[in-house]
Amino acid sequence: MELDALLLARIQFAFTISFHILFPAFTIGLASWIAVLEGRWLWTKNDLYKRLSSFWTKVFAVSFGMGVVSGIVMSYQFGTNWSRYSDVGGYILGPLIQYEVVTAFFLEATFLGVMLFGRDRVPPWLHFFATCMVALGTLISAFWILSANSFMQTPAGYEIREDGLLYPKSWWDIVFNPSFPYRYFHMVIACFLTTSFVIAGVSAWHLLNNRHEIYARIGLNMSLGLIAVLAPVQIFVGDLTGLNTLEHQPTKLAAIEGHWETHAGAPLILFAIPDQQAEMNHWEISIPKLGSLILTHEWDGVIKGLKEVAPEDRPPVWIVFWSFRIMVGLGMLMLAVAVTGVFLMWRRKHYTTRWYLRILQFCTPIGFAAILFGWVTTEVGRQPWTVYGILRTADSVSPAITGAGVLTSLIIFFLTYCIVFSAGIYYLMRIFERGPEAHVPPPDRSANRPKRPFSAAEEALEGPEDTHGSRTGPGPRPAPAE
């Protein structure tokens, strides 16, 4: 049996990027969360914030390391499996990735060491500054990556010359292509939501087990507040992203909505089994005209159907249709959790309502799941194009690769990822279980202050007395009682 090299290359890229995207998405939100904690510590002088930021910095270090490891593997695939894509789009996508390295990665690399190892070794303001720079670096990194990916969705500012390659014509139009602003903010909000749900889930876990309660209450308050703000904002930005997709990628939108025919006053299809061969839906449940109202904000707005393009130019409808609905369903669940949390906070029962704390614990990975299904919707919906309308995926694969070669590397990646990421997840769980360091009130130094200037030397030699009356420091010990 001959192995399909193109299909295996696509599976390999989907597998590696699915692992990779989880860690940058988490660290983008986590870096800003740590910066906020440090800022509150500097502002309030409350030692609890410092200890909490120290705890989450350990989590950040492990997650950041796994994100770097998984990202290196992806970059090699552009040269091994997707050399034609790198050749055609290299003059545009190469500089965008390089800008990410020069601006974001260098910024993170410069200050990451101070953030991870400089606590209590550099002035607090310098450590806070380094943490802010790392947080800024993660956002800049997302800026360039989303710009490059958005160019593949809605290419602009380029020209195709006689050699068939893409050349930059306007870098402004390339970077700020039509879908970039919407997709960037949609992704950044998703990152903050993902981190917030992890913090809320870990805090709920600690509260349910009566551990680290004072830290868990701080984490729960701050994360629930952020979820309450961001969940409805994300729905609004998602609506704007849908309008942008309708304008620039109508075929993808038709697959998302499951529309085969073009018609005004299109229904909102809630449930269906799309049949790509028969060009129709089975078991369809829909609400008349609501699809046009949501997408065009008009009852009789026109939605183009999949039959507007040739069958070979349509994406896999079943995957896009259902991945989008799962993503939206998870978004609605986030909103419900946020509304319930606000209500319980208003009643001051969010610390003690155990069923709600269990829901938060259950929802810990919900942000990761939403990002994965959203990413599937975006990337599979772009098919069969690597660069939308310009370069097909079938024409992007390396001519020299073989199915056996790609399958071998895929198996190696799978085994390596299982070992590395299992170890990483295990270590993260140990950190979560151990929790922040216990809060110890600062010692009352005035109690040991010598009453006379020269008595300090005598007390240092003998050491202070412990609770049993014994000397703990160096010096002659009192004779035991007869």
Side-chain angles (χ1 to χ4, degrees), residues 23-24 26-28 30-31 33-34 52-69 108 111-119 127 131 134 138 420-421 423-425 427-428 431-432:
F23 298 104
F26 183 42
T27 52
I28 286 172
L30 195 54
W33 160 251
I34 295 170
L52 201 54
S53 69
S54 177
F55 165 70
W56 285 105
T57 300
K58 296 175 187 174
V59 178
F60 177 87
V62 178
S63 305
F64 188 85
M66 289 197 287
V68 171
V69 170
E108 291 171 353
F111 291 100
L112 186 64
V114 179
M115 175 184 171
L116 297 182
F117 307 110
R119 193 181 297 276
H127 192 268
T131 305
V134 172
T138 61
V420 172
F421 289 102
I425 297 298
Y427 191 62
L428 282 176
I431 296 174
F432 288 147

Side-chain angles (χ1 to χ4, degrees), residues 211-288:
R211 303 177 62 185
H212 316 294
E213 187 174 342
I214 191 169
Y215 300 99
R217 289 190 173 212
I218 295 174
L220 192 64
N221 271 339
M222 294 176 68
S223 58
L224 281 182
L226 196 59
I227 291 170
V229 173
L230 291 183
V233 172
Q234 180 71 318
I235 293 173
F236 174 71
V237 175
D239 178 62
L240 296 178
T241 306
L243 296 176
N244 181 266
T245 306
L246 173 67
E247 181 179 358
H248 298 282
Q249 294 178 291
T251 306
K252 179 200 283 190
L253 188 83
I256 289 174
E257 298 298 324
H259 291 309
W260 297 92
E261 306 286 349
T262 299
H263 50 178
L268 176 65
I269 300 174
L270 302 175
F271 179 88
I273 307 295
D275 187 337
Q276 195 135 3
Q277 199 73 25
E279 299 182 333
M280 60 176 294
N281 296 328
H282 301 289
W283 306 97
E284 181 177 305
I285 300 174
S286 58
I287 302 175

Side-chain angles (χ1 to χ4, degrees), residues 320-369:
V320 179
F321 181 85
W322 279 106
S323 61
F324 175 76
R325 272 147 189 78
I326 295 174
M327 180 194 70
V328 172
L330 293 172
M332 293 296 111
L333 178 58
M334 289 181 184
L335 182 63
V337 170
V339 172
T340 307
V342 169
F343 176 75
L344 291 174
M345 289 176 77
W346 174 59
R347 299 288 304 275
R348 298 184 181 277
K349 292 184 176 181
H350 56 300
Y351 300 133
T352 54
T353 307
R354 297 186 69 81
W355 60 265
Y356 183 68
L357 294 177
R358 289 195 181 91
I359 288 176
L360 288 178
Q361 188 179 345
F362 174 77
C363 288
T364 301
I366 190 174
F368 296 113

